[in-house]
Amino acid sequence: MLLRSLLDLFFPPLCAACEARHVGHGQCLCPACQAALPRTEHALHPDNAALALFRDNRRVQRAAAWCYYTDGTDFRLLVHKLKYHRCPWLGPSLGALAAADFLRQAPAWFAGIDFIVPVPLHRRRERSRGYNQAALIAQGIGRAAGLPVNTSCLVRTVDNPTQTQRTAEERRLNVEGIFSVRRPELLTGKHILLVDDILTTGATLRSCLAALQSVRGLRVSVFTLALARQTGSPLSPDSALSSGSIAR
Ligand SMILES: [Zn+2]
């Protein structure tokens, strides 16, 4: 603690968005940048655009994304830093901020959930990146919402190529059958929160749901940090996808 205080004195933690000085251990954004986040307000609107992507699956209880993933926003830059620029510390911090927002707006949003399951990376991809950003986001959510995180019951068995520059149908085919369940007995009768970084077409999360389909009595809620805009197929030029930013 003393070392931390001394470090903060000489090297004050900077806001990951505006790089102005800010206060607060474990915080990655200054109050002004936190206030300016492009929130979806899904916590206040259970029947939202995220849930619409999973409405055909009766196991899905709730779905939400925290902020819009839009060109030119600091938030998009933050998610980029987390995903591609080796800033793993942003994951827990953004996850905790997101969960705190949800708890403030809809205190019951996490009620009934037994544990969090982050969307897994293939072990080869995780080794080369050094971390799974979804697992780090899940850690932050778990810390804020008081939920455990399980990274062993769902695995990615196929190292599929990137989703970048694919149409919605190509994305669906690209992730088909790439996940599998380990120790289904841990999941039987449970309500889990599937966590990912960016929600675009929902193809990856639907593939997770397909792998989980055989587990008896499982209920699933879905939470992502970001919601990418999508206005057509193939994804429109203004969407996050077309700039080649969504890769796994
Ligand atoms: Zn800032």
Side-chain angles (χ1 to χ4, degrees), residues 86 119-133 135 151 159:
R86 300 198 181 276
V119 170
L121 285 184
H122 190 270
R123 63 179 189 283
R124 206 173 309 150
R125 191 71 58 94
E126 186 166 345
R127 212 178 302 134
S128 69
R129 184 172 293 170
Y131 55 89
N132 173 7
Q133 70 279 2
T151 56
D159 193 7

Side-chain angles (χ1 to χ4, degrees), residues 6-221:
L6 280 170
L7 278 173
D8 285 358
L9 189 65
F10 293 104
F11 306 100
L14 301 179
C15 172
C18 70
E19 299 189 345
R21 183 178 174 167
H22 76 96
V23 290
H25 293 305
Q27 298 266 334
C28 62
L29 295 175
C30 71
C33 288
Q34 282 189 36
L37 285 167
R39 293 173 172 84
T40 64
E41 309 293 359
H42 282 179
L44 298 172
H45 304 283
D47 194 12
N48 56 54
L51 185 66
L53 294 170
F54 307 102
R55 222 190 293 278
D56 56 346
N57 192 311
R58 285 187 300 123
R59 292 183 173 227
V60 176
Q61 312 289 302
R62 301 187 274 280
W66 181 42
C67 290
Y68 290 107
Y69 189 77
T70 316
D71 280 348
T73 59
D74 285 339
F75 181 69
R76 184 186 151 109
L77 192 75
L78 288 172
V79 176
H80 246 244
K81 279 185 176 177
L82 166 62
K83 218 167 160 169
Y84 304 112
H85 300 292
R86 300 198 181 276
C87 295
W89 52 277
L90 280 173
S93 186
L94 290 173
L97 262 181
D101 263 6
F102 270 59
L103 289 164
R104 193 164 46 243
Q105 293 187 321
W109 204 90
F110 297 97
I113 291 168
D114 293 293
F115 55 90
I116 303 175
V117 177
V119 170
L121 285 184
H122 190 270
R123 63 179 189 283
R124 206 173 309 150
R125 191 71 58 94
E126 186 166 345
R127 212 178 302 134
S128 69
R129 184 172 293 170
Y131 55 89
N132 173 7
Q133 70 279 2
L136 296 175
I137 296 162
Q139 273 176 26
I141 296 170
R143 199 173 62 215
L147 291 170
V149 177
N150 183 303
T151 56
S152 61
C153 60
L154 184 66
V155 293
R156 190 180 294 229
T157 47
V158 177
D159 193 7
N160 60 306
T162 170
Q163 294 278 68
T164 307
Q165 305 288 358
R166 288 173 195 268
T167 64
E169 175 63 5
E170 286 165 350
R171 290 167 76 91
R172 186 184 69 75
L173 292 171
N174 187 40
V175 294
E176 205 170 60
I178 64 169
F179 297 103
S180 81
V181 172
R182 298 274 185 272
R183 303 190 63 195
E185 71 277 9
L186 292 180
L187 295 160
T188 303
K190 297 289 197 241
H191 181 178
I192 63 166
L193 182 65
L194 267 180
V195 166
D196 205 2
D197 47 9
I198 305 168
L199 179 61
T200 306
T201 63
T204 304
L205 285 156
R206 261 200 302 279
S207 182
C208 290
L209 287 163
L212 294 161
Q213 200 58 36
S214 60
V215 180
R216 275 187 301 113
L218 178 71
R219 286 162 298 145
V220 180
S221 289

